[in-house]
Amino acid sequence: RQWREGPWDLMRYAPAGGYGPLRQALSDYLGSVRSVRSTAAQVIMTTGIHQGIDVTIRLLCDPGDTVWIEEPAYWGVRNLLASAGLKLVPLPVDDEGLGLGEIEHSRPPRLIVVAPSHQYPLGMVMSLARRRMLLDYARQHACWILEDDYDSEFRYGSRPLPSLQGMDEDGCVLYAGSFSKTLCPGLRVGFLVVPEALAAAFANAVAELYREGNMMTHAVLAEFIREDHLGSHIRRVRRRYAERRACLIEEIHRHFGDTLEIVGDDAGLHLILALPDGVDDIMVERDALQQGGVVTRPLSTYYMDRAHARPGLLLGYAGATPDEIRPAFEALARVIRRYV
Ligand SMILES: Cc1ncc(COP(=O)(O)O)c(C=O)c1O
């Protein structure tokens, strides 16, 4: 429809920050589903969370600055920060998410990167008390917080807590989102919601560094959101992913009873199957692939401090039907049994 009806404007360079109607549609959508507080001008289109973090580092950090990250964390974020010459300080997460307990006396960082809605890879939700603590800390010490909200649409039990950005009264949170999990990563469309005072600088920076992305895709997405196709797609796949998750958990219990812990909240596109201390999860992953044809990820590789890493396997279930999950887990279970 877009190609037939209105292509000419969409063939020019986009305005700084991206296609206006998409920024407005996202501002409205995020306000209603994630309690994100923004105007369209604060929404900056990116090609995904990676680019959102890249531009954040370029504008707000200098090489040598300290950045706090969760331990364990997504390797993609870790690599981005390290390649910009930043000093990474990993802070352990517990059941309530990132803890600030041990850092009372250390120097405040320039930036704190967190995934409070669904910690990656362990999958817990940051408690309200911790969120308040983190926001207070950032305000008192003038640090920026980057909130990575990569998959919060997929919760199967309870409703998600509102975003950290929605609780921020001081303009210190930058919210990074993406269509990589809600639609598909090949689309390469994501967004940042930045504090009002930073909006013009971020729009210009994205325009000058990378250009604002593909306007035709932006225009289609704007309509897709406005006509509630995104909402209905998410509602539909959420049911499907919940079934797949339940099927995987059932298989785990059928093969191992309660002997192996399943880590994480009832949410997301993957779960963590913890392995007993001392098991080399990298070997398990290798054997699972070579002998069982099953792709997994070793949990230990998500830690900066490998000596204190917890062994386990990250198992993605969203892309596999129950009929594919059952034989795959059977093959995986044969490999795991040799190690536990
Ligand atoms: C925690 C986390 N953040 C960000 C991303 C990547 O986001 P994008 O594809 O939008 O760059 C991923 C991808 O797996 C992820 O797991």
Side-chain angles (χ1 to χ4, degrees):
R1 197 157 75 222
Q2 287 293 341
W3 274 115
R4 264 203 316 269
E5 287 172 8
W8 295 114
D9 272 354
L10 303 177
M11 290 186 170
R12 303 181 216 278
Y13 288 108
Y19 182 64
L22 178 56
R23 297 166 77 194
Q24 185 62 59
L26 273 169
S27 172
D28 297 342
Y29 175 78
L30 295 170
S32 76
V33 300
R34 300 296 301 120
S35 310
V36 167
R37 290 184 291 182
S38 70
T39 60
Q42 289 170 258
V43 180
I44 311 293
M45 298 313 302
T46 64
T47 59
I49 289 174
H50 276 232
Q51 193 179 66
I53 295 178
D54 188 52
V55 70
T56 301
I57 299 166
R58 286 169 184 261
L59 294 197
L60 301 183
C61 301
D62 294 315
D65 278 350
T66 302
V67 179
W68 287 351
I69 58 166
E70 294 167 313
E71 171 82 328
Y74 172 48
W75 48 262
V77 170
R78 228 169 48 204
N79 291 346
L80 266 169
L81 298 166
S83 71
L86 298 167
K87 185 168 162 274
L88 302 192
V89 176
L91 300 186
V93 293
D94 60 23
D95 288 349
E96 284 192 70
L98 183 81
L100 299 181
E102 294 161 27
I103 45 77
E104 284 294 302
H105 305 294
S106 59
R107 274 188 55 194
R110 176 64 59 97
L111 175 70
I112 304 170
V113 181
V114 279
S117 309
H118 190 227
Q119 204 277 336
Y120 193 90
L122 293 179
M124 70 285 283
V125 177
M126 187 187 275
S127 68
L128 215 51
R130 289 277 173 87
R131 286 168 193 243
R132 293 217 175 90
M133 211 185 286
L134 186 61
L135 288 169
D136 280 351
Y137 184 91
R139 178 175 41 80
Q140 278 166 22
H141 297 89
C143 338
W144 300 106
I145 298 175
L146 189 128
E147 175 176 17
D148 179 351
D149 205 32
Y150 66 103
D151 79 350
S152 62
E153 290 82 356
F154 300 113
R155 292 199 67 78
Y156 311 119
S158 54
R159 284 177 64 79
L161 286 175
S163 63
L164 203 58
Q165 195 271 5
M167 297 172 63
D168 174 25
E169 299 291 342
D170 306 289
C172 53
V173 176
L174 293 90
Y175 174 95
S178 171
F179 290 99
S180 288
K181 303 292 190 273
T182 46
L183 292 176
C184 54
L187 197 61
R188 298 319 306 152
V189 182
F191 42 88
L192 271 178
V193 180
V194 300
E196 210 174 343
L198 300 181
F202 269 71
N204 282 332
V206 170
E208 304 219 345
L209 289 168
Y210 332 99
R211 298 295 181 205
E212 304 73 4
N214 180 318
M215 284 247 277
M216 184 55 77
T217 308
H218 284 191
V220 173
L221 268 174
E223 272 198 57
F224 196 71
I225 297 171
R226 287 230 170 280
E227 295 176 3
D228 195 36
H229 298 299
L230 179 67
S232 69
H233 165 75
I234 291 173
R235 288 190 289 279
R236 192 172 60 244
V237 291
R238 194 188 281 139
R239 281 196 297 277
R240 203 170 288 165
Y241 297 164
E243 277 163 28
R244 294 173 179 187
R245 181 182 175 87
C247 170
L248 176 58
I249 291 176
E250 198 181 298
E251 287 307 296
I252 294 171
H253 286 149
R254 199 161 67 77
H255 285 273
F256 296 104
D258 287 332
T259 54
L260 298 182
E261 188 191 348
I262 298 167
V263 183
D265 272 45
D266 202 7
L269 310 178
H270 73 272
L271 57 77
I272 296 285
L273 182 61
L275 296 172
D277 283 342
V279 171
D280 184 344
D281 57 6
I282 296 176
M283 300 273 280
V284 183
E285 183 247 4
R286 192 201 57 193
D287 289 356
L289 183 62
Q290 287 177 357
Q291 294 158 29
V294 183
V295 178
T296 63
R297 297 267 178 266
L299 177 59
S300 63
T301 57
Y302 290 85
Y303 286 79
M304 275 181 73
D305 178 6
R306 294 280 175 89
H308 295 99
R310 185 172 184 189
L313 293 176
L314 188 152
L315 306 180
Y317 49 77
T321 64
D323 284 347
E324 292 165 331
I325 290 173
R326 287 186 202 99
F329 194 78
E330 177 98 41
L332 180 59
R334 273 199 296 275
V335 173
I336 293 175
R337 256 185 229 107
R338 294 209 303 271
Y339 287 88
V340 300

